[in-house]
Amino acid sequence: MRRQSSHSEQHRSTVTVGHYDRRGRKRGQGDTMNAGRICLVLLALVLLAVSPTKGKKVLLIGFPFTSHMNELMAVGRELVSKGHQVYAIMDVNKLGEKRFQGTGLKFLTYDSLDKEQKAIEEVEEKWPEICFRTQTTSIKAMMDALASIIQPIGTYECSRMLSDDKLLQQIRDVNFDISLLDAIYYCSYLIPFKLDIPYVSMGSFNHVWKSRLHPVASHQPCKIERDNSFTNRLKHFFLGMIVEHNLPDLFMDQSKFLDYDTPRPYSSLSELVEKSSLFLINQNTVGSCAAPSTPNVIYVGGLTNKPAKPLNVEYSQIVAEARDGVIVMSFGSGMSKMPKEFVRKFMWAFAQIKQVVIWRLKTTYDLEVPPNVNIVDWMPQNDLLADDRVQLFITHCGNNGQYEAIYHGVPMIGSPLYGDQADNAARMVHKGYGLQIQIASFTAEELLEKINEVIRNPKYRANMKIASKIHKSLPDPIRQSVYWIEHVMEHGDGHLRTVLSEMSPTEFLMFDIFAVLFVLLGVVAFLLKLLLCFVYRKLSGSGSLSDRSKKQN
């Protein structure tokens, strides 16, 4: 037995160390086949786990301003990482493709006419001057001045895009599953509406009337939270209605596009906005105040927020040498050139402080620049705000920049110029994140006082740190946006819409119900009056009869 055992052991040993096993397979071939089977099983499991929305085709259409495109591109990059094919319509002469290389996005381009492009560039040159100057005028005058700049740009871009037959044919050929649109660029709705592509609206502006939210509390919730008196609610009710009614004509001359060839008639571009499957609002309760909502309105504040990258040598050296801290000042890419008198005020105030200032500015008009001020054409704003030595952010209160400051916990001084910036500044002050100056009337001394107040008073930094902590604990806004876009691609939007979306403004505001109640109250009051009159006459008549009988007795 021992010999048999040792013999079989020897046989097994011989088989094992040989090149072939007993089945005639090469040594290791069985292991390879087993590994192959395991890989196939794992691949099958992965394919089963993959969402059926993978590989969908998404079209991005945005207003050709940097801040607006940044929001769309941030979500677009995440969609690409999830396996979708994402295309963006781009005016090659406006933004170009270079700044988005390496993102995985594809581009459908249209060209601008040289003559018209030069005219638009001349209009854009006037943009900063008008924004600063019109602060001293009435609201109507300011809106008219802004429309004189923005409307020609929007109308021109829309005309070029819609008249490019090659572009439209490319869109048809791709056969898109959904489109992600800039909520205030009303032209963007025409292409997906024409080609019957479902679409999602995204932006910082909350379309209260079109998404059927509460018509008062949702428009400027922080101003209502601060003062919910009847007069203030009445003011914001009509203000919201007027703003939404006039918004399309601010960004483009919509009368030129009401007869655009579509399979279904429409009375206004605002009507197309109402048909959005989703409204992704670049706000949240940290940067703004809580407001009523509906299932297809998703708050995704902070779309351009991101962890900081290390500063390059130039900026890291500036920050490292700032023993008393750093102040970052930027009015955005469109406002980096400001009139001379405003530059002079800021220069004087900065010369009185110890902090190092990094200021995005195109021209100093040969004014003397204080030694603590660094003038730059461009800055890594997000990366700078992340540095602990940055004590203050002076901003025009653009929505993206404000949320970047909240994300990194940096107090602010706001100086709104146009659009939603006044509301952004108001909510910043209401939340205790900083102070505001009126660009039309501020003095250099006032600016200096507020700089010192925000830097020296610890409450502003404390409020921002709390806000930053809460903001970072919320779901990632980009991933949340992508989740809901994929959700609609897979399941549609029928289960997210409320009955309110099918109601007219009269029905939405319940004017018909209140009218019926008013009539009923009137009828009840009238009947009650008749009854009281009848009782009174009866009582008056009986009283007189008793008096007569007494007299007779």
Side-chain angles (χ1 to χ4, degrees):
M1 293 294 293
R2 288 180 182 176
R3 286 184 178 181
Q4 289 178 354
S5 175
S6 65
H7 175 74
S8 58
E9 287 175 4
Q10 184 179 4
H11 177 71
R12 285 197 299 267
S13 175
T14 303
V15 171
T16 302
V17 299
H19 292 289
Y20 296 90
D21 62 13
R22 284 180 295 181
R23 296 182 181 179
R25 295 179 304 188
K26 285 187 177 181
R27 188 181 57 143
Q29 184 177 358
D31 295 338
T32 304
M33 294 177 65
N34 289 334
R37 292 192 187 99
I38 293 173
C39 289
L40 288 174
V41 171
L42 290 175
L43 179 61
L45 291 173
V46 169
L47 291 174
L48 288 172
V50 170
S51 169
T53 60
K54 288 291 183 182
K56 298 291 186 179
K57 298 171 184 177
V58 184
L59 177 64
L60 310 183
I61 311 177
F63 196 65
F65 279 11
T66 302
S67 59
H68 291 254
M69 293 304 298
N70 284 343
E71 295 176 2
L72 288 174
M73 294 302 178
V75 177
R77 285 192 293 268
E78 182 67 15
L79 284 166
V80 169
S81 72
K82 299 277 283 185
H84 302 289
Q85 298 180 50
V86 182
Y87 295 74
I89 294 180
M90 185 77 66
D91 179 351
V92 293
N93 294 319
K94 183 64 63 174
L95 290 176
E97 301 179 29
K98 292 183 179 179
R99 64 194 303 264
F100 300 113
Q101 286 181 352
T103 60
L105 285 98
K106 303 176 183 178
F107 296 92
L108 304 173
T109 60
Y110 61 97
D111 290 322
S112 303
L113 297 177
D114 292 338
K115 183 179 179 181
E116 294 180 358
Q117 177 64 25
K118 290 178 180 178
I120 292 298
E121 289 174 356
E122 291 175 2
V123 171
E124 290 178 334
E125 281 294 319
K126 303 175 184 176
W127 173 249
E129 187 78 14
I130 288 179
C131 286
F132 281 93
R133 301 292 185 196
T134 53
Q135 298 298 317
T136 59
T137 61
S138 66
I139 294 178
K140 184 179 184 306
M142 182 177 69
M143 295 299 291
D144 290 342
L146 290 176
S148 69
I149 297 293
I150 302 176
Q151 191 186 84
I153 298 173
T155 303
Y156 166 70
E157 294 290 343
C158 188
S159 299
R160 293 300 304 149
M161 183 169 62
L162 297 180
S163 62
D164 194 325
D165 294 332
K166 181 180 177 181
L167 171 65
L168 295 177
Q169 188 57 49
Q170 285 179 320
I171 296 173
R172 290 189 184 94
D173 293 341
V174 174
N175 192 22
F176 287 99
D177 297 287
I178 202 165
S179 185
L180 181 60
L181 310 178
D182 190 330
I184 62 169
Y185 187 34
Y186 288 76
C187 177
S188 64
Y189 292 87
L190 286 168
I191 289 179
F193 183 71
K194 175 184 176 67
L195 303 179
D196 201 24
I197 304 171
Y199 49 85
V200 173
S201 297
M202 190 177 77
S204 59
F205 183 78
N206 202 342
H207 290 273
V208 174
W209 291 90
K210 298 172 185 62
S211 57
R212 294 295 188 262
L213 299 178
H214 193 287
V216 174
S218 299
H219 179 58
Q220 294 175 332
C222 287
K223 291 184 178 180
I224 298 297
E225 182 177 291
R226 185 178 58 192
D227 178 11
N228 64 356
S229 64
F230 172 77
T231 54
N232 197 49
R233 287 184 287 115
L234 183 67
K235 168 187 172 184
H236 290 292
F237 174 83
F238 285 107
L239 181 62
M241 191 162 49
I242 292 170
V243 168
E244 285 208 41
H245 177 74
N246 292 293
L247 199 60
D249 286 318
L250 176 64
F251 284 88
M252 55 189 292
D253 183 1
Q254 69 168 329
S255 64
K256 294 185 176 181
F257 306 101
L258 292 181
D259 59 349
Y260 182 64
D261 181 32
T262 58
R264 302 177 300 283
Y266 59 97
S267 59
S268 69
L269 298 183
S270 295
E271 181 183 330
L272 305 187
V273 180
E274 295 175 5
K275 301 180 184 299
S276 301
S277 296
L278 285 174
F279 293 88
L280 300 176
I281 312 298
N282 192 5
Q283 293 184 24
N284 60 27
T285 55
V286 181
S288 185
C289 295
S293 186
T294 56
N296 67 334
V297 176
I298 314 297
Y299 291 92
V300 288
L303 287 171
T304 61
N305 293 352
K306 53 190 173 185
K309 298 178 182 177
L311 294 171
N312 60 28
V313 176
E314 177 188 0
Y315 287 98
S316 61
Q317 184 176 354
I318 294 174
V319 172
E321 294 175 356
R323 297 180 180 179
D324 297 294
V326 177
I327 294 174
V328 175
M329 178 172 173
S330 174
F331 277 21
S333 57
M335 295 295 122
S336 55
K337 181 181 179 181
M338 62 174 63
K340 186 174 182 178
E341 60 266 33
F342 296 98
V343 176
R344 183 181 287 110
K345 290 180 185 180
F346 282 103
M347 289 289 192
W348 184 89
F350 293 153
Q352 315 305 314
I353 60 178
K354 296 180 179 179
Q355 286 78 16
V356 169
V357 179
I358 303 176
W359 183 1
R360 183 177 183 178
L361 186 67
K362 284 186 177 179
T363 178
T364 61
Y365 300 98
D366 296 325
L367 294 172
E368 183 179 354
V369 179
N372 63 325
V373 176
N374 298 271
I375 304 297
V376 297
D377 292 330
W378 175 87
M379 65 170 65
Q381 181 175 292
N382 181 73
D383 305 333
L384 281 171
L385 293 175
D387 196 288
D388 291 335
R389 285 162 289 195
V390 175
Q391 300 179 350
L392 175 64
F393 179 39
I394 301 178
T395 171
H396 64 313
C397 291
N399 192 71
N400 289 338
Q402 198 170 59
Y403 271 98
E404 287 175 10
I406 292 172
Y407 183 80
H408 295 297
V410 180
M412 292 172 276
I413 288 180
S415 179
L417 295 174
Y418 63 93
D420 63 347
Q421 294 165 14
D423 297 335
N424 298 346
R427 76 193 188 196
M428 173 196 70
V429 174
H430 175 70
K431 291 277 190 177
Y433 298 159
L435 297 175
Q436 178 181 350
I437 60 172
Q438 299 294 337
I439 198 69
S441 58
F442 85 98
T443 63
E445 292 78 11
E446 177 193 0
L447 173 62
L448 176 61
E449 180 183 347
K450 292 190 174 182
I451 289 174
N452 289 328
E453 166 66 15
V454 174
I455 290 177
R456 295 172 183 174
N457 192 329
K459 75 174 185 179
Y460 298 104
R461 172 71 67 171
N463 289 341
M464 289 300 287
K465 290 300 181 185
I466 294 172
S468 175
K469 186 176 181 180
I470 296 173
H471 184 58
K472 291 178 179 178
S473 71
L474 296 175
D476 181 84
I478 295 178
R479 292 176 183 172
Q480 192 178 11
S481 300
V482 170
Y483 168 82
W484 284 107
I485 293 170
E486 290 183 329
H487 182 86
V488 168
M489 284 194 289
E490 174 64 18
H491 304 290
D493 62 358
H495 60 294
L496 299 174
R497 288 184 173 276
T498 67
V499 67
L500 298 176
S501 62
E502 305 300 326
M503 290 183 176
S504 67
T506 299
E507 295 169 327
F508 170 55
L509 295 172
M510 298 192 297
F511 283 161
D512 51 350
I513 294 177
F514 287 124
V516 171
L517 291 177
F518 182 77
V519 171
L520 288 177
L521 286 174
V523 170
V524 170
F526 178 73
L527 293 176
L528 184 60
K529 178 184 178 182
L530 290 178
L531 178 62
L532 291 175
C533 289
F534 175 78
V535 173
Y536 175 77
R537 285 196 299 269
K538 285 293 184 181
L539 292 176
S540 298
S542 62
S544 60
L545 289 174
S546 61
D547 291 340
R548 289 174 185 176
S549 62
K550 286 180 180 179
K551 289 180 180 179
Q552 290 175 357
N553 294 331

